[in-house]
Amino acid sequence: RAQGFRVGRNVDLLQFDCGGQQWVSEVAFPAGTLDHPTGADLRFMDKVLEIIERGEGLPAPSPIEQRWTANSTSKMSPACATERQRSELQAGAKLDETFHSWVGIIMYLPTEDPNTRKRITDAFGDYRRLCETEAWPMVGAAEHWAKIEVPGASGAPNEGEPAHVSAKELKKARDRLAARYPLEAFARARRTLDPKGVLGNAHVGTLLAPSPE
């Protein structure tokens, strides 16, 4: 009764209203297997809830999105468990049996007033930093590539808005990426397969600096 089929263009079928402009930060981390879950997904959400509720006046809108995917075989994916993460899984699971949890936090930008937008942007920066320092390390979380903000980039919802990430934060982001991914192997592959940088962009180039020539 609750099933059926619909055929049409992807732009007509795959639509989702995100509720307007917003800041988003999303991370992924392994949570065991279906037979032997580690509970990391629940512990992470408990920590985020603790951060929100402990009286610092953090305006955290709903929803906090949480989803789950199978492990990726791509070494550059946040959903690809590292060797260390695999060894730490309570299940001692095979790579293809591991599942990951993704968690996204948001703050909406419902106004065009620049002062109000800056206050929301600054508040989101505080929210994200608290999650980064207190929640991410608990589970070895890795950021969604498209949701890593860099200073001076046009990643702000309105171009010209102040970025909440400083040069110091950029270095931290680069250090996290270098510790998490095989960047040297990735750079070699880019030099071989994309020597002119056709498939690159300023965002990735900044995060992975120096970019391949």
Side-chain angles (χ1 to χ4, degrees):
R1 183 178 301 177
Q3 66 180 347
F5 299 91
R6 183 182 173 195
V7 178
R9 298 187 310 157
N10 64 325
V11 293
D12 295 326
L13 302 181
L14 303 177
Q15 295 188 27
F16 178 73
D17 185 358
C18 290
Q21 292 184 335
Q22 57 192 257
W23 283 112
V24 181
S25 174
E26 186 174 20
V27 296
F29 52 90
T33 68
L34 295 180
D35 290 334
H36 300 282
T38 65
D41 44 0
L42 300 180
R43 290 195 300 274
F44 186 91
M45 295 305 297
D46 284 340
K47 173 56 70 173
V48 173
L49 184 62
E50 175 191 319
I51 290 171
I52 294 170
E53 292 185 335
R54 66 186 176 203
E56 296 184 10
L58 186 65
S62 294
I64 296 176
E65 178 186 286
Q66 185 171 28
R67 57 194 175 96
W68 293 261
T69 64
N71 185 81
S72 172
T73 58
S74 171
K75 298 295 185 181
M76 295 298 291
S77 170
C80 180
T82 65
E83 291 295 330
R84 178 177 178 180
Q85 287 174 329
R86 289 172 60 189
S87 68
E88 291 175 350
L89 290 175
Q90 294 176 6
K94 295 180 180 179
L95 183 61
D96 59 358
E97 296 176 349
T98 306
F99 73 91
H100 280 64
S101 178
W102 296 73
V103 178
I105 60 171
I106 64 171
M107 277 194 186
Y108 293 105
L109 290 157
T111 176
E112 296 299 324
D113 177 69
N115 292 327
T116 303
R117 291 174 72 90
K118 182 181 183 305
R119 289 172 57 197
I120 296 172
T121 297
D122 292 343
F124 182 78
D126 294 338
Y127 186 11
R128 181 197 164 281
R129 276 189 289 272
L130 287 169
C131 290
E132 175 192 337
T133 57
E134 299 184 29
W136 297 4
M138 291 173 47
V139 293
E143 290 178 278
H144 188 305
W145 277 100
K147 297 171 184 176
I148 306 174
E149 301 295 338
V150 296
S154 58
N158 275 355
E159 187 174 354
E161 287 195 40
H164 63 269
V165 186
S166 67
K168 180 180 178 181
E169 296 298 317
L170 174 58
K171 183 180 184 306
K172 287 170 59 179
R174 287 172 171 166
D175 290 345
R176 279 197 306 272
L177 294 173
R180 177 64 174 75
Y181 299 107
L183 297 188
E184 291 185 5
F186 180 64
R188 288 195 300 270
R190 291 182 71 189
R191 286 194 293 269
T192 301
L193 302 173
D194 187 25
K196 296 184 179 180
V198 174
L199 301 179
N201 56 47
H203 180 79
V204 173
T206 300
L207 290 172
L208 302 184
S211 301
E213 300 178 356

